[in-house]
Amino acid sequence: MIPLHELSFFILAALILVISPGPNMIYLISKSITQGKKSGFISLTGVVCGFLFHIIMVSFGLTAVLLAVPFAYTILKTLGTIYLLYLAYQAIKPNSKNIFDVDKNTSYDSPKKLFTVGFLTNVLNPKVAVFYLSFFPQFIKPEYGSVLTQSLELGVVQVLVSFSVNFLIVLTASRVALFFSNNPAWIKVQKWFMASVLTYLAIRMAFSKAK
């Protein structure tokens, strides 16, 4: 089992990353605003199932790679650092899109399509796999027990964090969109705060050492 202090930091990192705008968040916000909360929740179910798919694949993959290739930790750490810095840049790059600007002239989708698109949006998003492969190893240590068990533990925690945040997003999408449209300055604050935290996580990851 992963110690509570390590798990607490992972929860914070997972929270920061889940509120970083991406395909999942854009899709959920779009469907929640244009088709209502019910459609948002159906879409969220698909997204969560996509996370579970990635977790199973990555957990078994990490177990094989980390046990077979000792320097894999360094490779994954480097990828993770680059990925976090990329996310930080995406948050503040010029002319970046406001995720709350959605096209309201969209047709209504069936529950099956909402679930399927939500699932595929997550499964086919390479950033999700990169996050798991590059971030999980920073918290997995042989002295904590089975690598597979630790990976699955982190996966479950990440899904719970992601589900909780996205659940709130579906509930409040319309009100949040209205708030940001009326207070554009807060969008800049949110972007720079996000970029600062992601950069801190990248630096921490870059200087972390395998034990």
Side-chain angles (χ1 to χ4, degrees), residues 35-165:
Q35 297 187 205
K37 294 174 184 174
K38 181 179 179 181
S39 294
F41 290 135
I42 295 174
S43 301
L44 176 56
T45 303
V47 169
V48 169
C49 288
F51 276 125
L52 295 177
F53 172 84
H54 277 293
I55 289 168
I56 293 173
M57 297 296 290
V58 171
S59 293
F60 284 96
L62 277 178
T63 300
V65 171
L66 292 180
L67 292 179
V69 187
F71 64 87
Y73 178 89
T74 301
I75 296 174
L76 295 176
K77 181 179 72 171
T78 302
L79 288 174
T81 300
I82 294 173
Y83 176 58
L84 289 175
L85 291 175
Y86 167 77
L87 288 179
Y89 169 74
Q90 288 294 315
I92 59 173
K93 70 177 182 179
N95 301 320
S96 58
K97 181 181 179 182
N98 176 9
I99 62 171
F100 296 104
D101 290 338
V102 298
D103 181 9
K104 297 186 178 181
N105 297 316
T106 56
S107 59
Y108 278 73
D109 299 324
S110 66
K112 180 179 179 181
K113 183 176 181 180
L114 289 169
F115 176 89
T116 302
V117 175
F119 177 75
L120 293 177
T121 296
N122 207 351
V123 168
L124 300 179
N125 182 7
K127 293 181 180 180
V128 178
V130 171
F131 164 64
Y132 285 143
L133 283 170
S134 60
F135 208 67
F136 277 29
Q138 318 311 317
F139 297 89
I140 296 176
K141 304 293 185 296
E143 59 266 30
Y144 297 160
S146 166
V147 172
L148 176 60
T149 300
Q150 292 179 66
S151 184
L152 290 174
E153 180 183 355
L154 292 175
V156 170
V157 170
Q158 191 274 333
V159 167
L160 289 175
V161 172
S162 178
F163 174 80
S164 300
V165 172

Side-chain angles (χ1 to χ4, degrees), residues 159-190:
V159 167
L160 289 175
V161 172
S162 178
F163 174 80
S164 300
V165 172
N166 286 319
F167 183 84
L168 292 175
I169 287 174
V170 171
L171 284 177
T172 61
S174 296
R175 281 176 286 178
V176 172
L178 179 62
F179 172 80
F180 278 110
S181 65
N182 293 332
N183 301 274
W186 278 101
I187 296 179
K188 293 183 179 180
V189 173
Q190 178 265 339

Side-chain angles (χ1 to χ4, degrees), residues 9-30:
F9 186 82
F10 176 79
I11 291 173
L12 174 61
L15 177 62
I16 294 299
L17 288 170
V18 77
I19 61 178
S20 177
N24 293 333
M25 181 181 290
I26 293 172
Y27 179 68
L28 292 174
I29 289 174
S30 175

